[in-house]
Amino acid sequence: MPKPKTFYICNECGAESPQWFGKCPNCGTFNSLEEQIAIQSSVDVPTRGGVGSWHKEQNNGKSHAKPAKARASLTFDQISDRQLTRWKSGYEELDRVLGGGIVPGSMVLIGGDPGIGKSTLLLQVSNQLAQRYRILYVSGEESGQQVKLRALRLGVSKSVSVVGNGNGTTAEATLDIDEAAVTVNAEVLEVATVTDPSERLGADLYVLPETDLEEILREIDSLRPNVAVIDSIQTVFFPALTSAPGSVAQVRECTAALMKVAKHEDITMLIVGHVTKEGAIAGPKVLEHLVDTVLYFEGDRFASHRLLRTVKNRFGATHEIGIFEMVEHGLREVSNPSELFLGNRDDPAPGTAIVVACEGTRPIVVELQALVSPTSYPSPRRAGTGVDYNRLVQILAVLEKRVGIPMSKLDSYVASAGGLSVVEPAVDLGVAIAIVASFRDRIVDPGTVLIGEVGLGGQVRSVSQMELRLKEAAKLGFKRAIVPKGTKFPDLNLEILPVSKVIDAIIAAIPHQTLEDSDFEPDDDE
């Protein structure tokens, strides 16, 4: 018997290598190569006409044979037009990041840290969709009882059908989430109490605790759902492969098989993906290339709000965000996120400034807080929470060189209220004003918003989507806006103060003061 051939594959990028290396030659990751056994196929792959027969004729010396006629390719005129339809998920925030709703036959990958709420979100969405469509929820990490307990906590009131797999056969039982008492035997899930069937009309949600890909595909073929949820792709395995579940080969082959079913049968696939310690989707990078949409579920474990962010979308815009709040009964949408990231405007504090950030097409008003104090170390400390650290250091250098504030002798701390990450250049002016206000212990007018990018020469540069930002500020009751000079402004109930230099913005934002040379020296009591 011949010795089986082995090769090594990187679990980060999916690159293959004939021998083991401590560092992946493709992506440079250390200790990421895993051994795989090459499967020798004894079945000849059939050719579809032209290419295989052309090679055969070349080997026989017939180089002038007529090419075979194409069988499957079509011109654009031959492809039928079909209007893109979208299903409403029941949550406007999710519909926003998907580009307006769920596209039938699409494949959506949702990643996030453990415990962030991925399974909670998908179970709530499945319950909403089950009122109009047939839904299959495949749980590879939880049993049917665990899914039921989570549904009880979320207040799901409609029925859920649990499909259990015992000795190779499939047993189905309908559970009412409010009252049914379920006992699990070795082979079948039994129902002790069932409510009136009229209460279950419209609910078409099925739960399958399974990790075998063949069993999952068999259930999909039998049930014919409109939407299938896979929680999660790292737990699903293909028995024909020798590698462990979650490996590069398993994730790649299972995703490819599910994608083929989604496209051929027009079934929407919602797939949960684990993330690495760096925050990227676990598994090969090809996983993100295969799917149509990639969403990241983010949030601070010490905060209640969660951000659903789009990084790839074939059916809509990228970098859109949806905002949810984790409450007692699951996730709840935040209709006005600006109020979530604004502080108490009735009691302003020194060192705060209001900016308008844009995430995709959504403007969000955010409060920035700064604290500046004399340093007790040879090298001053800089720290930023929710802001880009490199841009923060750049702004501090501009304030020292162009404005004259001795930032090299001061510790500087900047944070965004609510922990929202605002890294776009449009918040530069707000960061600079907050730092100056903290340095002089002054209060910025709470009715003023600041929008603009700070250049290395101390100039204030224009930013994109200015009209959208100003409309959001006017809607929330702000009276003034300090913006870059030379930008066209809409006719709003808002006083516009165009500036060209950072020093001009400081004078406009911090009124009733005269900036002199002595003002840029720390106070004796500081």
Side-chain angles (χ1 to χ4, degrees):
M1 182 177 179
K3 183 180 178 180
K5 294 183 179 180
T6 61
F7 63 97
Y8 296 87
I9 189 168
C10 177
N11 56 21
E12 292 292 334
C13 65
E16 296 182 1
S17 175
Q19 62 181 3
W20 186 86
F21 293 98
K23 179 181 178 182
C24 175
N26 185 45
C27 65
T29 306
F30 288 92
N31 297 325
S32 61
L33 294 181
E34 296 180 356
E35 184 179 8
Q36 303 287 337
I37 299 177
I39 301 176
Q40 300 293 336
S41 176
S42 59
V43 181
D44 293 334
V45 179
T47 59
R48 299 190 63 180
V51 178
S53 60
W54 182 85
H55 281 291
K56 184 176 180 180
E57 290 172 354
Q58 288 291 322
N59 295 333
N60 294 334
K62 301 177 180 180
S63 59
H64 300 287
K66 295 177 63 177
K69 183 179 180 181
R71 297 181 180 180
S73 57
L74 300 173
T75 64
F76 284 119
D77 295 334
Q78 294 173 328
I79 299 175
S80 61
D81 296 330
R82 188 179 70 172
Q83 185 176 2
L84 183 64
T85 59
R86 296 181 184 268
W87 299 339
K88 296 301 180 181
S89 65
Y91 293 90
E92 293 183 0
E93 295 298 306
L94 178 60
D95 293 338
R96 169 190 287 271
V97 299
L98 291 176
I102 299 174
V103 177
S106 62
M107 200 169 188
V108 181
L109 176 64
I110 302 177
D113 293 332
I116 201 68
K118 303 182 296 296
S119 300
T120 299
L121 175 64
L122 289 180
L123 186 57
Q124 292 182 220
V125 171
S126 299
N127 180 59
Q128 293 290 333
L129 291 172
Q131 313 310 315
R132 302 181 302 276
Y133 309 104
R134 175 167 292 186
I135 312 299
L136 175 63
Y137 189 99
V138 179
S139 176
E141 302 175 349
E142 299 175 294
S143 64
Q145 277 189 324
Q146 290 175 312
V147 176
K148 175 182 179 290
L149 289 174
R150 182 152 45 87
L152 278 170
R153 179 177 59 85
L154 299 178
V156 177
S157 60
K158 296 296 182 180
S159 301
V160 177
S161 296
V162 178
V163 181
N165 192 354
N167 55 354
T169 61
T170 300
E172 183 175 325
T174 303
L175 308 180
D176 187 277
I177 295 302
D178 289 333
E179 301 181 12
V182 180
T183 58
V184 180
N185 291 338
E187 299 179 0
V188 66
L189 295 172
E190 296 181 353
V191 180
T193 304
V194 179
T195 57
D196 185 2
S198 62
E199 299 180 6
R200 300 196 299 267
L201 294 178
D204 210 1
L205 174 59
Y206 297 82
V207 178
L208 175 66
E210 185 58 69
T211 57
D212 191 335
L213 178 63
E214 294 180 350
E215 294 294 334
I216 295 172
L217 295 179
R218 189 177 294 112
E219 183 64 26
I220 291 176
D221 183 64
S222 174
L223 189 62
R224 296 287 179 177
N226 301 102
V227 178
V229 179
I230 310 297
D231 186 9
S232 64
I233 189 62
Q234 276 78 14
T235 62
V236 179
F237 71 95
F238 185 38
L241 298 178
T242 58
S243 55
S247 62
V248 173
Q250 288 283 3
V251 172
R252 181 179 61 227
E253 296 301 326
C254 292
T255 305
L258 292 171
M259 183 193 66
K260 184 177 180 180
V261 172
K263 301 304 180 183
H264 288 187
E265 305 297 333
D266 204 27
I267 298 175
T268 301
M269 294 283 181
L270 303 179
I271 299 177
V272 174
H274 296 169
V275 296
T276 61
K277 60 182 180 181
E278 290 83 12
I281 297 290
K285 200 66 178 177
V286 69
L287 176 62
E288 298 185 36
H289 291 289
L290 284 174
V291 300
D292 298 312
T293 305
V294 179
L295 308 178
Y296 277 87
F297 210 31
E298 307 169 351
D300 188 351
R301 60 176 178 170
F302 301 108
S304 60
H305 64 272
R306 303 286 187 268
L307 301 181
L308 187 63
R309 191 183 304 271
T310 311
V311 297
K312 173 188 176 182
N313 192 357
R314 290 174 178 164
F315 308 107
T318 57
H319 302 293
E320 291 284 353
I321 67 167
I323 302 178
F324 296 85
E325 185 179 7
M326 183 65 75
V327 295
E328 181 181 0
H329 298 292
L331 290 166
R332 181 178 63 187
E333 295 179 288
V334 178
S335 57
N336 189 0
S338 295
E339 295 180 355
L340 184 64
F341 302 110
L342 274 178
N344 187 4
R345 294 167 59 188
D346 297 330
D347 187 18
T352 61
I354 308 298
V355 298
V356 185
C358 267
E359 294 287 347
T361 59
R362 161 174 272 180
I364 302 177
V365 180
V366 184
E367 179 184 284
L368 296 180
Q369 303 169 349
L371 178 62
V372 175
S373 61
T375 184
S376 57
Y377 301 98
S379 178
R381 180 176 174 83
R382 282 87 165 85
T385 302
V387 297
D388 184 43
Y389 177 78
N390 292 328
R391 298 200 69 85
L392 172 60
V393 175
Q394 174 180 309
I395 293 171
L396 294 175
V398 170
L399 291 177
E400 179 160 12
K401 179 69 175 180
R402 306 300 178 186
V403 182
I405 301 178
M407 301 307 302
S408 59
K409 301 178 181 179
L410 303 170
D411 292 334
S412 303
Y413 306 89
V414 179
S416 62
L420 179 68
S421 179
V422 284
V423 296
E424 63 168 337
V427 303
D428 287 356
L429 187 59
V431 173
I433 298 301
I435 292 173
V436 174
S438 176
F439 173 73
R440 295 307 307 152
D441 199 21
R442 307 280 182 151
I443 295 177
V444 179
D445 182 10
T448 301
V449 295
L450 300 115
I451 306 171
E453 178 185 358
V454 175
L456 295 179
Q459 69 273 23
V460 180
R461 304 175 61 183
S462 60
V463 296
S464 61
Q465 298 176 309
M466 180 63 71
E467 182 176 354
L468 197 63
R469 301 173 195 265
L470 294 177
K471 286 183 178 179
E472 179 70 12
K475 185 179 71 173
L476 293 177
F478 288 91
K479 302 301 181 183
R480 296 197 314 163
I482 300 178
V483 298
K485 181 178 290 187
T487 308
K488 294 183 179 180
F489 313 110
D491 187 10
L492 299 172
N493 187 21
L494 199 66
E495 181 185 358
I496 304 296
L497 300 178
V499 295
S500 58
K501 297 288 185 179
V502 175
I503 187 65
D504 299 332
I506 295 174
I507 297 173
I510 310 176
H512 309 299
Q513 66 174 341
T514 302
L515 294 178
E516 300 176 353
D517 294 339
S518 59
D519 291 331
F520 294 111
E521 297 294 334
D523 297 335
D524 295 336
D525 57 347
E526 290 185 351

